[in-house]
Amino acid sequence: MSEKVEKWYPGEGKLTTGRAILYVILVLGLISAVIRLFFGLGSTTNLSDAYPWGLWISFDILSGVALAGGGFTMAAAIYIFNLKKFEPLLRPAKFSAFIGYLVFVIGLFFDLGQPWRIWHPMVMWNPQSVLFEVSWCVMLYTTVLGVDIFIMALERWKKYDLVAFFRNIYLVLVVAGVMLSTLHQSSLGALYLLMPEKMSDLWASQAIGPLFFCSAVIGGMGVVTLESFISSWAYKRKPELKLLSSLGKGLGIVLLVYFAMKVTDLYARGATVWTLDKAHFFFYLELFGTVALPAILLTFSEVRNSIKGLYWAAGLSAFGVVLNRFNVSLTSYGGYRDFSYFPSAIEIIITLALIAGGILIFDWGTRYLPVYHSELSGKTS
Amino acid sequence: MSKAMLIDTTRCIGCRGCQVACKSWHNLPGERTTFSETWSNPRYMNSNNYTRIIFREVAQPEGKLNWHFIKRQCMHCLDPACESVCPVGALIKLKDGPVVYDDYRCIGCRYCMMACPFQVPKFEWGKAVPLIRKCDFCADRIEIGLAPSCSTTCPSQALVFGDRGALLKEAHRRIGAHPGKYYPEVYGEKIVGGTAQLYLTPVSFEVLELDHRGFRTDLGNVPYGIYGREWMSKVPWVALGVGGLAVGLHYINQRRAEVQDQKSQEGKED
């Protein structure tokens, strides 16, 4: 085990195999991005009039935002529910959330037909549009997260009086962050309220907003757990197992709530649940494999108190959130019946490059910013 | 009064003159087409084809084939889903009836394509800087008192342009006057809150199998924009609620922790 770690991370800052692979993907992505900008969406993606939204919407935007839900979830747990013991997990959660949103905005930039008009919703308003609200919330929330990261940078630059100022108004940032997240996490689901006729019965729900919100909390907690394990492995730190198993308990509860919400919703709408086709296969995988299974796993204290058990439970739940977003936006979407969609190489490379870029920024950030520990002695936030 | 078009498919002769007139007025390039299993040509609406005639052959029980020609284009809903979803307000319903698109506002998010219940807006996939394209009801012609180019060119008066109220009255008059000739419902009168395109057909849209060709019959009579507007009307309250709850819970929980701390300290002192 230690040998493996040595091989991947012989020293911080040096170009290691892991980083080298990430850089190669990133460069391939940059080339693809340039090709996409010069040749347009039609010739570089497999999107069409039948499938106007594809991989980038499903993964970069819907899944990315849900997985970045850890920032507001942890902030709410610590500052609003006063669960101070989770404080060691807050900074990495906020930092990965910020990177998630940064990556999301870059992904959106390449998905838009007119990328340089990305600022238009700021001045051209349509208050009856859910997407208008989402774009405003995302802009403001990314700003909130940016201020948060800026405070970390201020700590590094030892501007303590400024840090103290931000600490004083910190509750404002937390409340704004929680409020904006609640709104846009659920509104991303509400985008699909307007197209029930194009969606499978399994996902076309009037309750899709609350369902998206709940699963974003799951995605956030799952990613915080995974991120904690992976970075403790990569940076050779001891994982905070006690904290994480406590978080795992919470994750199990949220999964149960989400499962109950899903089942109630399906029952209330009278959706045909028991059939066998492609959509139902993905539906069963989502509901039983990635919601019910980790929820059951997390009821066992043996699972909650082992790294491997938590790793699997958190991994399954996070994967389940991604699967749900793909199901809602692609599996469920009927479009034209005689067309199908599978992403092009350029779509896939750009998405992979966004992930690689996110990891590299995180890696860079943990070395230059006080992500894992406050530089102010005794105080962490 | 909002303008509309009465499309009497029993009068259509399938000449596709409307397709040509549309291309002429909007200066759209022609398309090299190929033979296929259908007479409809081109096969799909796209950013260069704002309208097309769908050719349907329906077999009678006695074996005779009946031809039906149904024109497809933007329905110009009275309360359009595209207008309600566009985050930058690039799609607007004009007072005269047309639903028009502003090239200079659009960011290219394609939500209108996803939300349109008739799958009308199309994207310029062939261009590096693409925009949305769709039938605009010849808004520029309507503005100066002309009829849309398709209805102007129609040789058999299958496309009649006029005030929506008057055309609806005329549609129902025709249904009443020729009971066997028409299906007794006007497609577009009520669907998704009403559209500016009013269709008279000899049989229902389901029999014509049009419900999978852009003319769904399961859409209901409620405009789709309502779902988004209902959601948006709750947003300010959710924001206030969550914000208030967050601040309140923060202070309550903090106070509770303080009290607990004090109690445990007092316990130690005793």
Side-chain angles (χ1 to χ4, degrees):
Chain A
M1 185 65 195
S2 63
E3 244 183 80
K4 199 174 161 197
V5 173
E6 296 251 295
K7 196 174 154 201
W8 281 64
Y9 278 96
E12 291 193 354
K14 282 185 196 154
L15 191 72
T16 58
T17 324
R19 286 201 190 98
I21 294 169
L22 293 175
Y23 276 117
V24 169
I25 298 173
L26 189 62
V27 169
L28 285 175
L30 285 174
I31 296 168
S32 304
V34 171
I35 296 173
R36 177 259 169 268
L37 284 180
F38 277 91
F39 291 91
L41 285 167
S43 49
T44 52
T45 69
N46 284 345
L47 298 172
S48 64
D49 282 334
Y51 278 88
W53 286 358
L55 173 71
W56 290 341
I57 298 288
S58 301
F59 189 83
D60 309 357
I61 293 173
L62 296 178
S63 306
V65 167
L67 293 180
F72 90 92
T73 308
M74 296 315 291
I78 292 159
Y79 290 100
I80 292 168
F81 296 100
N82 209 38
L83 303 168
K84 291 276 186 256
K85 62 178 173 183
F86 289 121
E87 273 194 337
L89 299 177
L90 179 63
R91 284 177 174 231
K94 285 191 302 197
F95 192 53
S96 50
F98 176 66
I99 291 167
Y101 277 83
L102 206 62
V103 161
F104 152 79
V105 173
I106 297 169
L108 178 65
F109 180 82
F110 289 107
D111 185 72
L112 290 180
Q114 316 271 333
W116 44 91
R117 291 185 184 170
I118 199 167
W119 52 274
H120 272 194
M122 278 197 248
V123 291
M124 300 172 189
W125 288 24
N126 182 13
Q128 53 173 325
S129 164
V130 181
L131 193 56
F132 168 75
E133 184 234 321
V134 170
S135 43
W136 263 93
C137 282
V138 168
M139 276 189 292
L140 293 174
Y141 184 56
T142 310
T143 312
V144 168
L145 286 168
V147 170
D148 228 323
I149 305 312
F150 183 62
I151 302 175
M152 289 188 203
L154 285 175
E155 264 181 40
R156 182 181 151 81
W157 298 329
K158 306 203 186 306
K159 302 250 191 276
Y160 293 128
D161 43 342
L162 273 174
V163 174
F165 164 74
F166 279 114
R167 286 271 161 77
N168 284 335
I169 60 155
Y170 198 69
L171 185 66
V172 178
L173 287 184
V174 171
V175 172
V178 171
M179 193 172 86
L180 292 166
S181 292
T182 310
L183 291 182
H184 74 260
Q185 293 283 8
S186 55
S187 289
L188 277 173
L191 293 180
Y192 288 87
L193 283 175
L194 274 108
M195 41 188 118
E197 85 286 0
K198 298 189 188 77
M199 292 171 69
S200 154
D201 227 17
L202 295 168
W203 293 283
S205 163
Q206 291 294 304
I208 196 165
L211 286 170
F212 261 51
F213 172 76
C214 190
S215 57
V217 173
I218 294 171
M221 291 170 98
V223 166
V224 166
T225 309
L226 289 178
E227 182 271 320
S228 186
F229 281 133
I230 293 171
S231 54
S232 66
W233 164 75
Y235 303 120
K236 287 183 259 179
R237 221 170 303 199
K238 247 180 116 183
E240 318 236 20
L241 189 58
K242 233 178 119 190
L243 260 186
L244 291 174
S245 65
S246 172
L247 186 68
K249 204 181 211 170
L251 177 59
I253 294 167
V254 183
L255 279 167
L256 281 176
V257 171
Y258 182 57
F259 185 79
M261 282 169 80
K262 280 281 252 191
V263 172
T264 312
D265 169 59
L266 287 163
Y267 180 75
R269 288 186 297 115
T272 40
V273 174
W274 305 113
T275 328
L276 258 183
D277 55 27
K278 201 183 107 197
H280 277 79
F281 168 74
F282 284 112
F283 168 74
Y284 295 140
L285 186 64
E286 181 198 327
L287 189 64
F288 298 115
T290 68
V291 182
L293 182 63
I296 293 167
L297 282 177
L298 286 167
T299 56
F300 297 103
S301 62
E302 294 90 340
V303 174
R304 283 203 312 273
N305 290 320
S306 83
I307 293 183
K308 210 174 172 186
L310 272 176
Y311 203 91
W312 271 96
L316 273 178
S317 351
F319 172 71
V321 176
V322 176
L323 183 62
N324 171 258
R325 299 307 191 255
F326 272 87
N327 278 343
V328 166
S329 56
L330 284 177
T331 314
S332 160
Y333 175 68
Y336 295 55
R337 266 142 239 268
D338 42 352
F339 284 93
S340 61
Y341 164 80
F342 191 82
S344 72
I346 286 190
E347 284 178 84
I348 295 171
I349 292 171
I350 289 185
T351 293
L352 289 177
L354 286 171
I355 302 170
I359 297 172
L360 283 169
I361 300 174
F362 190 86
D363 178 51
W364 176 85
T366 51
R367 279 177 289 130
Y368 287 93
L369 293 172
V371 172
Y372 283 104
H373 42 82
S374 167
E375 292 196 355
L376 287 181
S377 57
K379 260 199 166 182
T380 48
S381 69
Chain B
M1 188 63 206
S2 174
K3 297 289 182 191
M5 192 153 70
L6 179 60
I7 303 176
D8 188 337
T9 64
T10 64
R11 293 191 174 205
C12 179
I13 56 172
C15 72
R16 302 194 189 96
C18 47
Q19 294 182 191
V20 177
C22 178
K23 290 229 174 198
S24 302
W25 185 256
H26 293 98
N27 208 7
L28 296 167
E31 183 178 311
R32 181 170 287 275
T33 53
T34 50
F35 285 114
S36 69
E37 75 280 8
T38 160
W39 287 70
S40 313
N41 206 349
R43 287 298 309 278
Y44 302 101
M45 285 207 298
N46 59 34
S47 55
N48 289 328
N49 302 314
Y50 300 169
T51 184
R52 69 185 200 106
I53 299 288
I54 298 177
F55 285 61
R56 297 296 301 151
E57 299 156 62
V58 178
Q60 297 294 97
E62 65 269 25
K64 211 179 104 206
L65 272 182
N66 273 2
W67 277 102
H68 301 278
F69 316 111
I70 305 97
K71 185 173 178 294
R72 191 149 138 70
Q73 73 291 305
C74 176
M75 299 293 282
H76 299 282
C77 306
L78 302 188
D79 185 352
C82 59
E83 181 191 35
S84 83
V85 298
C86 180
V88 290
L91 287 148
I92 298 288
K93 172 85 177 171
L94 299 180
K95 207 165 75 257
D96 278 344
V99 178
V100 294
Y101 165 81
D102 186 342
D103 283 9
Y104 297 97
R105 280 184 169 239
C106 179
I107 57 173
C109 73
R110 312 186 290 288
Y111 192 18
C112 52
M113 304 175 72
M114 294 294 288
C116 173
F118 304 103
Q119 301 180 326
V120 166
K122 303 296 177 194
F123 206 50
E124 294 179 318
W125 296 103
K127 293 191 180 173
V129 186
L131 293 164
I132 291 287
R133 289 287 171 252
K134 72 170 193 68
C135 159
D136 60 356
F137 215 9
C138 289
D140 45 355
R141 291 174 63 96
I142 291 181
E143 206 182 322
I144 54 169
L146 295 172
S149 61
C150 54
S151 76
T152 308
T153 209
C154 181
S156 57
Q157 287 182 311
L159 309 173
V160 179
F161 176 75
D163 284 333
R164 190 167 185 271
L167 289 177
L168 261 178
K169 213 175 273 172
E170 169 63 12
H172 285 290
R173 189 197 65 76
R174 287 186 198 177
I175 291 172
H178 312 278
K181 195 179 168 190
Y182 294 106
Y183 183 70
E185 270 175 39
V186 181
Y187 189 90
E189 182 179 4
K190 294 192 184 116
I191 199 160
V192 294
T195 68
Q197 311 286 7
L198 304 166
Y199 287 84
L200 276 177
T201 47
V203 287
S204 75
F205 272 50
E206 286 100 333
V207 172
L208 292 170
E209 292 177 357
L210 290 168
D211 38 351
H212 293 330
R213 290 177 172 79
F215 293 104
R216 298 188 65 122
T217 47
D218 58 352
L219 296 170
N221 295 337
V222 174
Y224 273 37
I226 278 193
Y227 302 125
R229 283 195 289 272
E230 263 176 10
W231 181 266
M232 289 305 290
S233 69
K234 286 178 203 143
V235 160
W237 303 110
V238 172
L240 276 176
V242 171
L245 215 64
V247 175
L249 281 172
H250 166 79
Y251 285 111
I252 289 173
N253 284 322
Q254 207 178 32
R255 182 74 194 131
R256 190 182 283 162
E258 277 170 17
V259 169
Q260 236 157 26
D261 269 4
Q262 254 173 10
K263 265 189 190 160
S264 60
Q265 270 182 3
E266 278 165 17
K268 271 178 206 161
E269 279 162 20
D270 290 341

